[in-house]
Amino acid sequence: MLQIQENVSLKNFNTFGIDTHARYFVEIAHEDELVELFADPQWQQTERLVIGGGSNLLLVNDFAGLVIRMNIRGIEHRISHNDVFVEAGGGEVWNDLVNFCVAREYAGIENLSLIPGSVGASPIQNIGAYGVELKDAFISCKVFEIATSAFKIFTKDDCKFGYRESVFKNQVKGQYIIVSVKFHLSLIPNINTQYGAIGQELANRGIASPTIKDVSQVVSHIRVSKLPDPSTIGNAGSFFKNPLISIEEFNAIYAKFPDVVNYPGGDGLIKLAAGWLIEQCGWKGKTAGNTGTWKNQALVLVNHGGATGQEVYNFSSQIIDSVYTKFGVMLQREVNIIS
Ligand code: EPU
């Protein structure tokens, strides 16, 4: 029997550590419980917020509807020649899945080590780090369709993945709940150490031919050194997306700021490092009340203790305004704002 709780603090369910309340709260440990929940028309009509690890959320106000916390566990794996097929419950912790695969030398997601959050949330924003995105290893996900209580499969094409984007944030937002995700990994590693500091850190360790275990360890080391640990300092990773701009816009910025950090963005666009833009505006490591930016990575906003969601949101608006004033670039929030 499902337990619907009332007036539940969400403080321990969001990595920002914001203390707001949910009017109703339910934890789902098995997919049948979704069918049971939505058999009651009350929950069809109530506003819903589906959460996994709560690592990409900013809770600005109390939530007047039903928070559904997905906690479906289980990892299954099958090997065929050099191909490995892994299916994980949406409630598995993302990094537990990475560790499961790295320990067995199943290659493909080692660059995504230590990303906070759950497996079920990973396709929603096509998580990415150090030159790899979720879509590179993704086969499909099983979803629950709220309107019909049917389970369906979304293939990679169906998901329309982009940079921190998918169909689940756009065309079908709010209509489906991801229950499990299937990945295609390999026993033959395709070691990817091109991005940023990975190569340098491997060289520092004297590793010339890295294994996926080495890559996972180095990525974890870099993340720990740059990003605040949510268990001690509340945060939701990158607060903004790296902006994609046209060549013309880029040339105008480059003429004034030749140091501007940039990458090819695909489709003829240029991707700017939002952390650099924010740092240039003087925000890096700045504290404002109970919030601020992280000292080693200006793209990450933090809760120094007792911050409200509104306080963090207002602070993020100030950053957006000053980056726009200086560079003419409008930053977009990457974190899901619940207000
Ligand atoms: N930079 C600065 N100042 C800063 C931060 C960054 O000048 O305060 C510049 C540096 O030149 C650095 C460049 O920006 O070389 C890029 O920084 P970094 O390698 O830290 O990556 P990022 O572009 O800021 C993205 C992802 C991260 C991911 C890293 C590594 C987004 C929004 N963020 O950050 O993902 O870990 O690349 O791949 O795409 C997340 O999404 O929550 C997240 C942490």
Side-chain angles (χ1 to χ4, degrees):
M1 190 60 192
L2 274 180
Q3 292 254 313
I4 313 273
Q5 301 173 56
E6 294 194 41
N7 301 319
V8 172
S9 167
L10 296 173
K11 188 160 189 225
N12 295 327
F13 297 106
N14 72 102
T15 59
F16 247 120
I18 306 283
D19 193 8
T20 58
H21 285 73
R23 178 72 184 88
Y24 301 102
F25 181 94
V26 67
E27 188 148 310
I28 299 291
H30 192 275
E31 56 188 51
D32 293 348
E33 292 175 343
L34 286 171
V35 179
E36 185 188 335
L37 178 70
F38 287 102
D40 181 342
Q42 175 186 358
W43 303 123
Q44 285 273 355
Q45 286 142 24
T46 306
E47 193 189 355
R48 297 172 295 266
L49 170 63
V50 180
I51 62 172
S55 58
N56 202 43
L57 286 182
L58 180 67
L59 300 166
V60 175
N61 293 311
D62 285 339
F63 188 71
L66 172 68
V67 170
I68 302 173
R69 177 158 196 263
M70 295 303 291
N71 196 20
I72 299 173
R73 299 293 173 132
I75 302 179
E76 286 171 18
H77 53 132
R78 178 172 70 80
I79 297 178
S80 169
H81 304 286
N82 289 317
D83 296 311
V84 185
F85 300 94
V86 178
E87 183 162 12
E92 286 290 336
V93 172
W94 172 262
N95 197 49
D96 290 351
L97 175 67
V98 173
N99 288 337
F100 177 96
C101 295
V102 169
R104 288 165 179 76
E105 302 192 7
Y106 300 167
I109 54 175
E110 57 279 1
N111 289 46
L112 306 180
S113 295
L114 224 56
I115 293 186
S118 67
V119 168
S122 64
I124 296 177
Q125 57 155 343
N126 181 25
I127 58 170
Y130 302 101
V132 173
E133 287 184 327
L134 176 97
K135 70 172 169 57
D136 303 329
F138 180 94
I139 301 177
S140 63
C141 57
K142 183 175 178 184
V143 300
F144 175 80
E145 186 172 52
I146 294 169
T148 62
S149 278
F151 290 94
K152 297 192 167 171
I153 301 292
F154 271 58
T155 64
K156 189 165 164 168
D157 279 351
D158 295 335
C159 291
K160 301 191 195 320
F161 289 123
Y163 166 60
R164 296 296 194 274
E165 286 294 348
S166 78
V167 75
F168 300 110
K169 279 173 98 171
N170 297 294
Q171 295 91 329
V172 302
K173 190 171 177 182
Q175 295 175 31
Y176 297 92
I177 296 175
I178 296 172
V179 296
S180 64
V181 184
K182 218 181 239 182
F183 301 90
H184 182 189
L185 304 178
S186 176
L187 294 178
I188 303 176
N190 179 11
I191 299 286
N192 181 341
T193 58
Q194 300 303 306
Y195 189 96
I198 299 185
Q200 186 55 52
E201 184 58 32
L202 285 165
N204 292 348
R205 296 177 183 210
I207 299 170
S209 308
T211 62
I212 64 167
K213 219 168 259 178
D214 295 326
V215 173
S216 175
Q217 280 171 4
V218 163
V219 166
S220 300
H221 171 84
I222 297 169
R223 287 189 76 94
V224 168
S225 65
K226 274 194 171 177
L227 301 170
D229 175 359
S231 66
T232 51
I233 298 194
N235 75 90
S238 300
F239 196 90
F240 304 98
K241 287 178 155 189
N242 285 328
L244 290 163
I245 61 172
S246 68
I247 302 269
E248 292 74 28
E249 288 171 290
F250 175 73
N251 286 339
I253 294 172
Y254 182 75
K256 277 166 78 181
F257 305 97
D259 297 339
V260 58
V261 178
N262 66 94
Y263 317 93
D267 295 331
L269 299 173
I270 306 284
K271 192 189 267 184
L272 301 184
W276 185 87
L277 299 172
I278 297 167
E279 181 173 352
Q280 296 304 306
C281 294
W283 291 108
K284 190 169 183 173
K286 273 267 157 69
T287 296
N290 298 319
T291 184
T293 59
W294 183 236
K295 58 183 189 314
N296 299 331
Q297 168 50 292
L299 191 49
V300 177
L301 303 199
V302 294
N303 175 4
H304 287 298
T308 63
Q310 192 65 54
E311 191 179 2
V312 177
Y313 186 83
N314 293 348
F315 181 62
S316 71
S317 298
Q318 279 182 273
I319 292 177
I320 291 173
D321 289 348
S322 70
V323 168
Y324 187 73
T325 303
K326 187 166 175 119
F327 296 102
V329 172
M330 190 65 87
L331 291 182
Q332 284 177 3
R333 294 178 181 89
E334 194 242 306
V335 164
N336 192 6
I337 308 291
I338 309 300
S339 55

